[in-house]
Amino acid sequence: MNGLLVLHMISLGMWAGCITVEMLLEQTHRGDFTQKKAMARIHYLIDKYVELPLLLLVLCSGFLLLNTERLSGKYLLKVICGLWPVVINLLCLIPVFRRRHAADRNDEKSVDNYTWWIYAAFFSGLAGGAVALVLGLNLGGII
């Protein structure tokens, strides 16, 4: 296994762990509006300083690993399914950042609405990532 692939796999694992921790935190901050406001700020900071840099590392290392000569069949499907959570996560920055600003304005209705979009993005990205993982393991001869 080459160093770039190791970097990609480690950064993928760290990114997945970061997102998992965020969703666990989201579950613990579902009570009153004070908790929701705190979660909006915490999630914003995690995205800005941890998740986004990890996401960019995953995207860059994945791009460098891309073998354009194999871009068909299962390999192409793996690439598309792997890009799906990246795109979804980048788009999810919008509700995360807007939710934080809504929390600062004490707009509980908007905070709740943006939280719904964050959950939808998580589960959508999870589905694509799971398919990409299975295809990658299959193509690598692991399963």
Side-chain angles (χ1 to χ4, degrees):
M1 193 180 290
N2 71 36
L4 185 57
L5 181 57
V6 170
L7 174 66
H8 185 67
M9 297 307 294
I10 289 172
S11 59
L12 261 172
M14 292 174 66
W15 176 45
C18 178
I19 294 168
T20 302
V21 167
E22 283 178 334
M23 294 315 294
L24 291 171
L25 284 171
E26 290 281 351
Q27 290 300 306
T28 64
H29 287 77
R30 292 172 38 139
D32 65 14
F33 189 56
T34 303
Q35 288 182 337
K36 293 175 185 179
K37 284 172 56 172
M39 188 61 238
R41 289 186 187 104
I42 292 166
H43 196 148
Y44 168 83
L45 291 171
I46 292 171
D47 273 15
K48 187 174 178 181
Y49 295 112
V50 181
E51 187 176 344
L52 184 57
L54 285 170
L55 175 63
L56 294 175
L57 184 57
V58 167
L59 184 61
C60 290
S61 60
F63 178 75
L64 292 172
L65 286 166
L66 185 64
N67 182 347
T68 56
E69 294 174 5
R70 291 181 59 197
L71 217 46
S72 64
K74 275 189 201 177
Y75 184 75
L76 177 60
L77 184 58
K78 178 188 80 86
V79 170
I80 292 168
C81 289
L83 278 172
W84 179 253
V86 171
V87 170
I88 291 297
N89 200 183
L90 287 170
L91 290 173
C92 189
L93 292 173
I94 296 167
V96 168
F97 284 36
R98 286 185 177 175
R99 181 175 71 165
R100 190 245 167 158
H101 293 296
D104 289 345
R105 292 189 320 271
N106 291 314
D107 181 356
E108 187 171 6
K109 183 178 178 183
S110 292
V111 168
D112 289 342
N113 187 43
Y114 290 129
T115 299
W116 184 90
W117 282 105
I118 291 165
Y119 278 107
F122 171 77
F123 287 109
S124 175
L126 181 65
V131 172
L133 175 64
V134 170
L135 288 169
L137 293 172
N138 182 263
L139 289 167
I142 297 171
I143 61 169

